[in-house]
Amino acid sequence: MTVPTTYDLVTRAAAGGLTLSASRLDTVPLLQANLAVPLPIGTRADTAALEVLTACWTGHPACARLEQWGGIVTVHRTRKWLLFSVLATSDLLPLLADTLTEVVTTRYTPETVGAAVAKVAQLATLADAQPAIDSMREMWAQFYGHLPPEADPSPRAEEVREVTVDQISDVHRRFVVPRHAGLALVGAADPAQCLDHFETALAEWRGHDAGPLPGPRPIATPSPGIVSRHRPGRQQTQIRLVAAAQPRTGIADFAANQVAGAVLGGSFASRINTVLREQHGLAYRCKATTDFIDQDVFVIEADVTTSRVPEAMRHLHRLTEEFATTGPTQDELDAAVGFINGAYALNLGSQLGRVALLNACSTQNLPGSALVDIPAATARLTVEDVRRAAAHCHPSRLAGVVVGDAEHFPAQWF
């Protein structure tokens, strides 16, 4: 599949530091606007309040009005980003702009916040009962030496219940500001017209200017390790491993990390899936992917019957050591490049895919040109390029946890 070498993107800097980007795509008569707001989270109280704020936005009267016209509204927090999306037919452009404006300039009542607190607390209780949430928390805590509040996939229910309307107003004032935020518009509408409508509607959006965004959190331990976490009675164990990927000096490094993740565990034909899932039947769900939290990282996941965890860990040690030492074969490289570039081509050609890629540029510290630069860089990669990226998956670089009924597990793995 041929990846586009260019695409239409009009970008404009608005008052207050907001960056607006619009791209025309007439595949469907729709227009989608995605707002990404960075969150310099400092405390767990911030995280809990932001989760409640997103629930307040979901039930906002402006969102209900758009939905009555057939529109769709979604809002959620992803680590250090608040993501708000509105979608409707392109003839509703003014309504889309007004909806976003009313939400980011809203005022909160005790009734609205109380209803949101009850909803989020219930969801947090359900999240606490999920082994996947527990193991993810433990993995990031092992990686950083503590659990950063933004890395926790869910606040605790007791933290949510303490959130007040004053806290919601405070986090809105501090975090919901145009500076460093990005608005991506994709759909069947003239880009300049889209930018004009949204820039005019958002002209009065202001906020507390807290200065530059904080830098990446330091990783606490220079010597990574994989430890056991005992959860009595669990029949399935979650293996969660993470390693810092090669630092980015350019798009080529990002592309090499993506290809390395794809070869190691990004598809059913990848090494981890072939060995753990197909050859030995150790895990139905296992994967290795690239992720971004402060920096590019590799994350390896496998859910394994507790009695067979030592066997799975031996295979993971061998697979990561071999991959880090030799890198991919030429056939594996070719397959991964084709898969990744095919995904970019499909996403660039669809409205939802293109706007999601533009949001990913914001949340992963990439320029808008990355949507075509990454596939081009991927196509130029050599086996040696990817081997350098794969070296960061070596067992000696991995941190993580093995979370399950660990009574007979070693305290420390490889």
Side-chain angles (χ1 to χ4, degrees), residues 222-256:
S223 300
I226 301 166
V227 299
S228 297
R229 292 285 184 259
H230 188 37
R231 300 293 186 269
R234 280 197 191 170
Q235 297 301 305
Q236 188 178 66
T237 292
Q238 285 71 47
I239 299 171
R240 298 292 183 267
L241 312 178
V242 58
Q246 68 174 341
R248 257 189 243 169
T249 60
I251 291 295
D253 295 324
F254 181 86

Side-chain angles (χ1 to χ4, degrees), residues 28-203:
V28 289
L30 299 172
L31 177 66
Q32 183 164 352
N34 280 16
L35 177 68
V37 179
L39 303 173
I41 295 170
T43 66
R44 295 193 60 83
D46 287 341
T47 303
L50 284 163
E51 293 292 338
V52 174
L53 183 144
T54 64
C56 291
W57 282 13
T58 302
H60 196 285
C63 298
R65 180 187 63 202
L66 181 67
E67 290 171 348
Q68 289 172 356
W69 283 89
I72 299 173
V73 177
T74 59
V75 55
H76 66 282
R77 178 188 67 89
T78 299
R79 296 175 186 152
K80 293 183 177 182
W81 290 87
L82 185 64
L83 302 174
F84 182 82
S85 175
V86 287
L87 171 69
T89 53
S90 56
D91 60 300
L92 296 177
L93 168 60
L95 182 58
L96 286 169
D98 290 343
T99 300
L100 179 59
T101 301
E102 289 182 39
V103 168
V104 298
T105 59
T106 194
R107 295 182 181 275
Y108 303 92
T109 67
E111 293 76 18
T112 299
V113 172
V117 164
K119 177 182 177 181
V120 175
Q122 184 179 36
L123 293 174
T125 300
L126 294 173
D128 271 344
Q130 295 182 29
I133 297 294
D134 178 36
S135 59
M136 194 61 65
R137 286 171 174 156
E138 292 284 357
M139 182 191 75
W140 290 123
Q142 181 68 9
F143 185 66
Y144 283 102
H146 63 99
L147 179 62
E150 69 274 10
D152 194 336
S154 172
R156 307 288 184 173
E158 58 271 21
E159 296 168 338
V160 173
R161 295 190 186 98
E162 295 177 356
V163 173
T164 66
V165 65
D166 289 339
Q167 280 181 282
I168 296 299
S169 298
D170 179 60
V171 296
H172 186 118
R173 179 187 64 85
R174 288 189 291 123
F175 295 144
V176 185
V177 298
R179 186 177 185 190
H180 305 300
L183 177 64
L185 306 157
V186 176
D190 177 69
Q193 184 182 21
C194 290
L195 295 180
D196 288 343
H197 268 285
F198 276 89
E199 185 174 11
T200 300
L202 293 167

Side-chain angles (χ1 to χ4, degrees), residues 338-388:
F339 173 77
I340 289 172
N341 283 359
Y344 272 94
L346 290 172
N347 285 325
L348 274 174
S350 76
Q351 182 195 50
L352 294 178
R354 185 175 297 186
V355 77
L357 286 174
L358 286 170
N359 265 152
C361 289
S362 295
T363 60
Q364 297 188 40
N365 195 26
L366 292 164
S369 62
L371 273 61
V372 293
D373 292 343
I374 291 171
T378 301
R380 294 192 295 268
L381 291 173
T382 67
V383 167
E384 180 58 26
D385 292 331
V386 181
R387 190 205 64 76
R388 285 195 295 271

